[in-house]
């Protein structure tokens, strides 16, 4: 249950750190909302669209607006550069919804 997870401060801190580390592995500075200035070898996009989509979806469900906004900025940067305007896919499933999640979820 989302509320149970959000109510566990230790879990939430570890979740946020996990999102930060995954983004950093792809060369994205989550806090500064930009590319890592001097990435290490291998610290770049791995073309796992589905993983990025799941991360965006989880930040949406957990209502983490700063994390979601930064991941979406990364997705837009990827789409403009590495993906050359192409959509995000997992097999034949389009994942472009990751670009359109908005918070807050409830009115």
């Amino acid at each position: 249950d989302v509320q149970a997870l959000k109510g566990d401060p230790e879990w939430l801190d570890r979740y946020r750190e996990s999102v930060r580390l995954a983004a950093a592995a792809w060369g994205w500075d989550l806090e500064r909302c930009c590319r890592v200035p001097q990435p290490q070898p291998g610290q770049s996009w791995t073309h796992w669209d589905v993983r990025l989509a799941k991360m965006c979806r989880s930040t949406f469900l957990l209502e983490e607006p700063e994390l979601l906004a930064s991941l979406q900025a990364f997705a837009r940067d990827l789409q403009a550069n590495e993906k050359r305007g192409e959509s995000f896919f997992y097999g034949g499933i389009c994942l472009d919804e990751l670009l359109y999640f908005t918070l807050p979820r409830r009115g």
Side-chain angles (χ1 to χ4, degrees), residues 50-93:
V50 69
R51 289 187 182 175
L52 179 58
K54 288 179 179 183
M55 288 171 60
C56 287
R57 189 172 293 115
S58 72
T59 60
F60 172 73
L61 292 172
L62 290 166
E63 299 180 272
E64 293 286 330
E66 293 83 14
L67 298 180
L68 176 59
S70 188
L71 288 173
Q72 286 176 320
F74 179 49
R76 288 183 185 96
D77 188 271
L78 287 171
Q79 193 173 45
N81 295 293
E82 285 88 337
K83 297 184 76 56
R84 296 184 176 103
E86 296 293 323
S87 291
F88 293 91
F89 277 93
Y90 178 64
I93 301 168

Side-chain angles (χ1 to χ4, degrees), residues 7-87:
D8 183 339
E10 183 179 349
W11 184 90
L12 203 51
D13 285 345
R14 289 180 179 177
Y15 166 77
R16 290 175 181 140
E17 179 68 3
S18 298
V19 173
R20 187 192 68 74
L21 289 171
W26 287 330
W28 186 255
D29 185 324
L30 199 63
E31 293 173 358
R32 291 184 177 87
C33 200
C34 66
R35 297 278 181 146
V36 171
Q38 296 176 344
Q40 298 298 310
Q43 190 179 13
S44 61
W45 177 238
T46 56
H47 306 280
W48 283 90
D49 295 3
V50 69
R51 289 187 182 175
L52 179 58
K54 288 179 179 183
M55 288 171 60
C56 287
R57 189 172 293 115
S58 72
T59 60
F60 172 73
L61 292 172
L62 290 166
E63 299 180 272
E64 293 286 330
E66 293 83 14
L67 298 180
L68 176 59
S70 188
L71 288 173
Q72 286 176 320
F74 179 49
R76 288 183 185 96
D77 188 271
L78 287 171
Q79 193 173 45
N81 295 293
E82 285 88 337
K83 297 184 76 56
R84 296 184 176 103
E86 296 293 323
S87 291

